[in-house]
Amino acid sequence: MNEIRHNWTAEEIIAIYNRPLMDLLYEAATVHRKYHDPNTVQVSTLLSVKTGGCSEDCCYCSQSARYHTEVEIEPMMSLSQVKAQALRAKASGSSRVCMGAAWRNVKDGPEFEQVLEMVRTINKLDMEVCCTLGMLTENQAKRLSEAGLYAYNHNLDTSEDYYQEIVTTRSYEDRLKTIENIRKTSITVCSGGIIGMGEALEDRAKMLVALSTLDPQPESVPINALVPIEGTPLEELPPVDIWEMVRMIATARIVMPQSQVRLSAGRMNMSREGQALCFFAGANSIFAGDKLLTTPNPDIKEDMHMLEVLGMRTQKPFEKHPQPTTVEAADSKIPALGEKPKWSRPQKVKSEQ
């Protein structure tokens, strides 16, 4: 518990996950208290700035153009709309805004320039800014960093072995390459995954191996429970049992002690008591607001009441890392390159479920 390891094995992680629950919780809580304030939770707001029409085939996603879901394609939000949403989130107690766009990858052009301006605007509101925009090049990562981006989210989703069952339009290596590009800047990395997609325990362990062996480990690790969406290939999967979520949170906390473990999607199906156990197991961040991009989420007033009942405080922005400096567009030293990167399209055939 006194060092950060980058050589965890799947066998070790499975052994941790399968410990008697009270022993697992005790160790996870002990590790958590060593590296974090156990009574502090970061509240973040997730905002979809470009919704629907994504060309990817992620089996869990309602925004894929390949599936018939209730999500409608919407144009890019305006800068004024994003600023208003950020101010509302700040007033409600959020310290971070994460902007998501339903893109396969970032493309240089007017829409990316608009996102850069959104980053500048929110950073100047003294809030942490995170983006999840798909794959991006080193140059694009540097431009986001120059604009004042605090974090970039790029989830691995699951293990490399199970990945082709969930996504066939991009490779696992593409995910790792994007994280590598982010690491060439001052932007912090936010990367985790989803449980409940039909994967085996070994896949969950191997995902944690992939994350924990990164050096440095991700500053943020979201652990999501699948929210089955009607019209997607995973629509009929059962909800994730709360004990699976608690064990996954605790295991992630033990193998990545300094990371902020984020209790992310799926909280609508969790009781307050279940969420409290997740906090005890090492989760120290939640996403607030009525939606997580397009899936339901608890009301922020309910979340604030829950934290009050638990005697927990909300984390202020930039407690973990310094606030980035924003360089205005007119003063930018990093020009757009008009790149056309050839991210892979494996198109592997999924096995029968």
Side-chain angles (χ1 to χ4, degrees), residues 29-301:
T30 302
V31 172
H32 188 53
R33 287 170 179 271
K34 177 178 175 62
Y35 291 93
H36 306 272
D37 179 348
N39 295 310
T40 299
V41 170
Q42 183 177 46
V43 178
S44 305
T45 295
L46 189 54
L47 181 62
S48 180
V49 299
K50 172 63 181 72
T51 302
C54 183
S55 64
E56 302 284 66
D57 70 349
C58 308
C59 286
Y60 53 80
C61 187
S62 61
Q63 299 198 66
S64 172
R66 298 164 186 250
Y67 309 134
H68 299 289
T69 69
E70 294 183 356
V71 172
E72 300 290 339
I73 298 175
E74 298 177 8
M76 175 81 75
M77 290 180 68
S78 68
L79 182 60
S80 60
Q81 287 175 314
V82 169
K83 183 176 182 179
Q85 293 275 21
L87 287 170
R88 188 175 299 115
K90 184 176 183 178
S92 298
S94 288
S95 61
R96 176 184 289 201
V97 171
C98 185
M99 298 186 291
W103 295 338
R104 167 178 162 81
N105 58 275
V106 174
K107 296 180 180 178
D108 290 342
E111 287 192 328
F112 185 43
E113 297 298 330
Q114 192 170 341
V115 169
L116 291 172
E117 202 55 42
M118 292 173 183
V119 170
R120 294 183 182 100
T121 298
I122 297 175
N123 189 45
K124 286 185 285 188
L125 295 177
D126 294 326
M127 297 186 75
E128 296 176 11
V129 194
C130 178
C131 281
T132 179
L133 311 170
M135 282 93 71
L136 78 166
T137 66
E138 180 180 345
N139 175 262
Q140 291 163 344
K142 288 179 177 178
R143 297 191 72 207
L144 284 165
S145 178
E146 185 187 53
L149 189 68
Y150 183 88
Y152 195 86
N153 169 260
H154 205 60
N155 289 336
L156 296 184
D157 291 343
T158 186
S159 72
E160 185 172 9
D161 294 340
Y162 195 67
Y163 191 75
Q164 68 180 33
E165 303 293 332
I166 303 301
V167 186
T168 70
T169 49
R170 61 170 183 257
S171 72
Y172 210 70
E173 186 60 34
D174 289 339
R175 312 301 282 177
L176 295 172
K177 180 61 179 177
T178 290
I179 292 173
E180 181 183 322
N181 288 337
I182 296 163
R183 281 295 182 211
K184 294 174 182 177
T185 74
S186 60
I187 299 170
T188 62
V189 168
C190 177
S191 187
I194 308 170
I195 66 172
M197 299 191 294
E199 76 285 345
L201 173 55
E202 289 76 10
D203 294 303
R204 298 179 186 180
K206 288 178 180 179
M207 180 185 76
L208 293 181
V209 168
L211 292 167
S212 64
T213 52
L214 293 172
D215 192 4
Q217 293 175 345
E219 285 80 1
S220 297
V221 179
I223 302 296
N224 298 273
L226 176 71
V227 178
I229 304 295
E230 185 177 353
T232 65
L234 304 183
E235 64 179 338
E236 296 183 359
L237 287 182
V240 174
D241 187 271
I242 186 60
W243 303 118
E244 294 181 74
M245 198 67 176
V246 169
R247 286 185 178 278
M248 193 66 181
I249 292 284
T251 306
R253 168 52 64 222
I254 291 168
V255 301
M256 291 174 282
Q258 289 185 329
S259 303
Q260 290 210 236
V261 178
R262 300 183 181 274
L263 180 59
S264 302
R267 288 198 300 120
M268 289 292 288
N269 294 325
M270 299 179 195
S271 66
R272 285 187 177 179
E273 294 83 358
Q275 292 180 70
L277 266 181
C278 288
F279 294 139
F280 184 72
N284 55 349
S285 178
I286 58 173
F287 286 101
D290 59 351
K291 283 187 178 181
L292 287 183
L293 295 181
T294 60
T295 57
N297 199 52
D299 181 80
I300 192 166
K301 292 181 181 178

